[in-house]
Amino acid sequence: MISRADWRQMFALDPGSFVTRDLTEALVTLGSTLVPRVSWFISAGEFIGLSEATVLWVAWSGLLAAGLCLVAGIFCRSAAIAGWFLHLSAIKSSALLSYGVDNFTSIGLFYLMLSPLPDHLALDSSWRKWPAKNAQLQSFWQRVLQLHLCVIYFFSGLTKLLGSGWWNGESLWRALTRPPFDIVPSEVLIRGKYLFIPLGLGICLLETSYPIFIWLRRTRLIWLVGIIAMHGAIAVLMGLYLFGLIMAVLNVAAFGIDLFRLHGKKVI
């Protein structure tokens, strides 16, 4: 999550801001006028006499509070809805500055918002004594997330295979040497250049075969660990820590809980 100062600089319409919010929101409006945007909150705030800076501070605080509530497992439904709506509004108002992790975070919050909440591990269940939700409905939304990830990984791997860069290692080299992701020194990369081709093809194989082997009991754990290790390597080697964490959370939420029954009994 970005700091409050960066948040204001990104969305404020003053001369010191980044790519102005009105430009990105205008581009979003061309696609649909129903997509939520930060300007909605600012217009509502101006109607009741609040300044732009105050509204942006309230929106940032609300997104932070929603995230903390979800982590703690309190006010789960309200926090999930607020978190998804505020986050979607933010990324749609800064589309020119957002990247993959923003979209995947929005996807995760969307499924969380629709899922039956709270589950048995949330504080809402023990503290507020709320009854357990319908297990079949929980399984339904988990299945939708599973299918969504299968589509994402399959076409991601297929797209890589259709080009030549992942067959000769060029794409992997460019990914690791392009600023600001060039964390690993070039000297180290040059010494390991012979690994680029097998690693690149291994990533393609891992992603394209994900929709097959992630469903099989004997191979599910292998593919789950492999895909999380891939995102972990991306996080360490390219500095994309939040992206790696989000993808690991989505994979564990989709397939990880099927590896263990309640009370620690394995299903594989």
Side-chain angles (χ1 to χ4, degrees):
M1 185 175 179
I2 62 177
S3 66
R4 196 178 78 182
D6 291 338
W7 175 276
R8 187 183 185 284
Q9 190 177 18
M10 182 176 294
F11 296 115
L13 292 181
D14 54 47
S17 61
F18 295 137
V19 178
T20 55
R21 188 189 71 244
D22 54 351
L23 172 61
T24 55
E25 290 188 352
L27 295 176
V28 172
T29 305
L30 292 176
S32 175
T33 59
L34 299 178
V35 177
R37 300 178 294 278
V38 171
S39 60
W40 289 8
F41 306 122
I42 295 177
S43 298
E46 291 176 348
F47 182 77
I48 59 177
L50 297 178
S51 65
E52 180 188 65
T54 301
V55 174
L56 290 176
W57 180 86
V58 171
W60 180 86
S61 300
L63 186 57
L64 176 61
L68 294 176
C69 287
L70 289 174
V71 172
I74 56 176
F75 308 110
C76 297
R77 177 67 63 195
S78 301
I81 295 174
W84 172 78
F85 190 78
L86 288 171
H87 185 270
L88 182 63
S89 301
I91 65 174
K92 291 305 180 181
S93 298
S94 59
L96 298 179
L97 298 175
S98 62
Y99 65 111
V101 65
D102 301 308
N103 295 323
F104 283 111
T105 302
S106 182
I107 290 172
L109 289 172
F110 177 77
Y111 285 121
L112 185 61
M113 177 185 67
L114 297 178
S115 298
L117 296 171
D119 65 8
H120 68 286
L121 296 176
L123 289 180
D124 277 340
S125 297
S126 56
W127 171 46
R128 307 176 71 178
K129 306 299 181 182
W130 283 0
K133 300 299 181 178
N134 191 321
Q136 292 182 344
L137 188 59
Q138 181 79 40
S139 300
F140 170 78
W141 288 112
Q142 181 189 1
R143 188 70 72 203
V144 174
L145 177 59
Q146 290 173 338
L147 294 174
H148 197 160
L149 287 179
C150 287
V151 171
I152 289 173
Y153 281 117
F154 174 76
F155 283 102
S156 175
L158 182 62
T159 302
K160 292 180 176 68
L161 288 174
L162 292 178
S164 60
W166 288 89
W167 292 90
N168 57 24
E170 181 181 355
S171 294
L172 200 57
W173 169 265
R174 289 186 176 183
L176 294 173
T177 56
R178 183 179 61 184
F181 310 117
D182 52 341
I183 296 178
V184 181
S186 299
E187 297 79 7
V188 177
L189 296 177
I190 292 174
R191 293 177 182 177
K193 61 182 179 180
Y194 299 106
L195 298 175
F196 286 174
I197 294 179
L199 286 176
L201 294 178
I203 291 174
C204 295
L205 175 63
L206 185 67
E207 292 185 340
T208 52
S209 60
Y210 183 93
I212 300 175
F213 294 106
I214 199 66
W215 293 101
L216 303 177
R217 289 186 176 183
R218 294 183 179 275
T219 56
R220 178 175 299 175
L221 180 60
I222 298 174
W223 250 252
L224 182 62
V225 172
I227 210 75
I228 292 177
M230 180 189 74
H231 288 299
I234 293 174
V236 173
L237 298 178
M238 300 179 64
L240 299 175
Y241 304 108
L242 182 58
F243 176 72
L245 176 61
I246 292 298
M247 296 309 299
V249 169
L250 288 177
N251 277 277
V252 171
F255 293 101
I257 60 177
D258 285 344
L259 295 176
F260 302 93
R261 294 186 186 275
L262 296 178
H263 309 298
K265 294 182 179 179
K266 292 185 177 181
V267 298
I268 56 174

